[in-house]
Amino acid sequence: MKFKQSEVQNQRIERITTSHLIVGIDMAKETHVAQATNYRGIVLTNRHLSFSNTIEGFEKLQRWMEGIQQKHRLGHVIIGMEPTGHYWWNLANWLTSKGLQVVVVNPATTKRNKENRDNCQSKSDPKDALVIADVVSRGYYYEHTKQTHVFQRLRTLMSDREFWVANSVRLQNRIIRWLDIRFPEYSSVFKDWTCKRSMDTLKELPTPQDLAGRSTLEIISMWKTHMQRAGGTTGAQKAAELIAQARRSVGDNTALAEAKQDFVRLIAEFERITELLADIGKQLHALLEEIPMAA
């Protein structure tokens, strides 16, 4: 059954009763700031709470909230925060493990509501925490639920994979740039420079100067040290094309020794990342088999 956004928001508002303490937390790397209001948005403390991103700080927050609940006879608490980077993650999970209700608010919503309290777009940590509490009281929030162990593992692997894929793309672009400068004709011989025969060539004879003085048999002999089927019609044709393109290359040959050293490092790093991604892929495949309906 589908609901309109307004109906969903109304349901969220209805969950907040007169016995609720609403806590808004402005997240940071080292020190967080909390403000507390009731369901009507009335501030319940004379001063905001600053607490560190440590277990001592988390426990300080818990004691502070319990004190306010006792003083104002509030039986429930709902804690709102912005999902700022990764700073909010540990606190949200710690509070959830304590059985407390944690919700997240959209930073864009917080920004649009800054003028509600003082008719000013000024920014400060205590004010931001108060605005977050106001946003929660009006139902502009989403429930935070701690993921099961298997999905946490999946999330971690996917984040790891995303990082290394981005590194691989940057590295490939740098390698292509190197070839465009030093051996621009190379792509006419190997459309896919990552194929086995091409990679073996780039590791052994990456520049036109390395290839120009070689014979077809010498190049095929070099490939045989890496490949079982290096020769044949295809091998001879590719070797001949490489030599021909190398002899007519317009690639830059200045600072060639330093450029080759750079290229060796690039290729080695590309192969290392490729192996890493293959290993992560195997781990993901094995993990997905543990998730029902995912295999």
Side-chain angles (χ1 to χ4, degrees), residues 148-289:
T148 60
H149 181 63
V150 66
F151 281 103
Q152 288 183 32
R153 291 169 60 198
L154 182 61
R155 177 191 175 119
T156 301
L157 277 175
M158 288 303 298
S159 177
D160 189 25
R161 182 181 182 277
E162 182 180 354
F163 172 81
W164 289 112
V165 166
N167 273 274
S168 177
V169 171
R170 284 194 291 267
L171 199 60
Q172 290 181 60
N173 289 338
R174 188 171 176 85
I175 290 172
I176 292 171
R177 176 183 179 276
W178 192 98
L179 288 172
D180 287 344
I181 293 173
R182 301 291 174 174
F183 197 172
E185 300 81 7
Y186 189 83
S187 60
S188 65
V189 181
F190 291 108
K191 302 299 182 184
D192 177 15
W193 65 267
T194 65
C195 71
K196 174 65 175 171
R197 196 185 298 273
S198 173
M199 289 296 292
D200 293 338
T201 303
L202 293 176
K203 285 188 286 188
E204 297 283 348
L205 306 168
T207 68
Q209 290 74 21
D210 294 325
L211 289 161
R214 306 277 178 163
S215 67
T216 301
L217 291 178
E218 285 178 315
I219 294 178
I220 292 176
S221 178
M222 179 271 293
W223 285 338
K224 284 183 178 179
T225 62
H226 303 279
M227 304 171 60
Q228 290 183 350
R229 301 176 63 182
T233 304
T234 301
Q237 181 181 353
K238 287 292 182 183
E241 289 178 11
L242 267 176
I243 294 171
Q245 294 295 351
R247 289 174 177 171
R248 61 189 295 272
S249 178
V250 296
D252 183 18
N253 59 5
T254 59
L256 200 57
E258 291 75 15
K260 287 178 66 174
Q261 289 177 4
D262 178 40
F263 193 71
V264 167
R265 289 189 288 266
L266 290 173
I267 291 295
E269 184 65 8
F270 172 73
E271 289 188 319
R272 186 182 73 87
I273 292 178
T274 301
E275 291 178 3
L276 276 174
L277 287 171
D279 184 56
I280 293 172
K282 292 178 182 177
Q283 293 181 53
L284 283 170
H285 181 74
L287 187 58
L288 287 173
E289 291 183 345

